[in-house]
Amino acid sequence: MSDSFPSVRSYVIRAARMSDAQKKAYTALSPKWVLPVDGTPVDFRKLFPEAEKCIVEIGFGMGDATRQMAKEHPEWGILGVEVHKPGVGKLLWWINQVSLKNLFIIEHDAVEVFSTILPRGSVDGIHIWFPDPWPKKRHHKRRLIQADFTGLLREVLKPGGYIHAATDWEPYANHILDVFNETPGLKNRYELWADKPDYRPDTKFEHRGIEARRIIRDIIFEKE
Ligand SMILES: C[S@@+](CC[C@H](N)C(=O)[O-])C[C@H]1O[C@@H](n2cnc3c(N)ncnc32)[C@H](O)[C@@H]1O
């Protein structure tokens, strides 16, 4: 990581067991679909020569929404970034199962990925769906969406590119809105909350929020 970029530990590595299918998919398919983080900049044109848009999804969890989006939008090139190994195994299993060709994975901390190997001005859209809300005040510093990181996301976007966050945790939704509003060069595509776009499938964590009767907020800002 560049020395100057503040590190945020926005995740805990959960000791979840991988199923045999996930382990098998991980071993067989990661050489082809998981990109190394070795300082080599990601070359989106080489990864997705035909893609109309390049999208990065941060924190795809078990990848259900990601594979659905990749299947429904074969014209997009999607790069999923996640630290949870069983989720990577599960998404690899799906890549094979439904023969996806427009989806690559990076198994690494997104903060480091954005600050080291994603070229400036290279991405059309960044999705951050249901990031961990870290509800306790003493943990707020662990939230992924913070001013420094949002400034970095903006740099990696092409002009007109967007950041789309979604959350079921109202205080985090307000925090995200404030941080995006305070980031120079980003503007809200909506007056306040965004309508849920058709391209965003329901996610596992969204279902949990709905079951707990929480309101789901989508927030979409674009680079000016
Ligand atoms: C609450 S889950 C949401 C998963 C999925 N988007 C959904 O809606 O079902 C948040 C995910 O973000 C991942 N995550 C958190 N911080 C991350 C980081 N810095 N880099 C990559 N992934 C991260 C976690 O491992 C976790 O799987």
Side-chain angles (χ1 to χ4, degrees), residues 1 8 12 17 21 27 58 66-67 69 81 90 94 109 139 141 150 163 176 189 199 204:
M1 184 192 290
V8 184
V12 271
R17 212 179 67 83
T27 310
I58 302 176
T66 320
R67 55 110 181 153
M69 182 174 61
V81 183
K90 179 80 186 290
W94 273 117
D109 178 3
H139 288 149
K141 58 181 179 298
T150 308
I163 311 176
I176 295 169
R189 278 197 177 164
Y199 63 73
K204 181 176 150 194

Side-chain angles (χ1 to χ4, degrees), residues 10-11 14 59 61 82-83 108-110 129-130 132 203-205:
S10 63
Y11 55 90
R14 289 163 278 157
E82 176 55 73
V83 288
H108 205 83
D109 178 3
W129 295 341
F130 301 89
D132 301 287
T203 85
K204 181 176 150 194
F205 278 82

Side-chain angles (χ1 to χ4, degrees), residues 53-74:
K53 284 184 187 177
C54 293
I55 306 292
V56 179
E57 183 175 352
I58 302 176
F60 57 74
M62 297 310 281
D64 295 331
T66 320
R67 55 110 181 153
Q68 200 176 319
M69 182 174 61
K71 192 155 185 281
E72 284 168 9
H73 292 279

Side-chain angles (χ1 to χ4, degrees), residues 4-8 111 114-115 120 141 143-156 163 175 179-180 182-184 186:
S4 57
F5 200 82
S7 109
V8 184
V111 177
F114 273 81
S115 60
R120 306 294 176 254
K141 58 181 179 298
R143 286 176 168 171
L144 181 65
I145 300 182
Q146 312 199 21
D148 288 327
F149 186 53
T150 308
L152 180 59
L153 297 181
R154 184 196 164 274
E155 282 181 38
V156 171
I163 311 176
H175 166 88
V179 170
F180 284 4
E182 285 159 16
T183 303
L186 282 185

Side-chain angles (χ1 to χ4, degrees), residues 11 22 35 73 88 95 139 148 168 203 206 215:
Y11 55 90
Q22 287 162 8
L35 306 183
H73 292 279
V88 173
I95 287 176
H139 288 149
D148 288 327
D168 62 329
T203 85
E206 174 171 19
I215 300 168

Side-chain angles (χ1 to χ4, degrees), residues 31-55:
K32 178 157 184 202
W33 301 107
V34 179
L35 306 183
V37 180
D38 58 5
T40 312
V42 172
D43 184 345
F44 284 101
R45 284 215 191 123
K46 212 164 140 194
L47 280 186
F48 307 116
E50 316 257 291
E52 283 172 17
K53 284 184 187 177
C54 293
I55 306 292

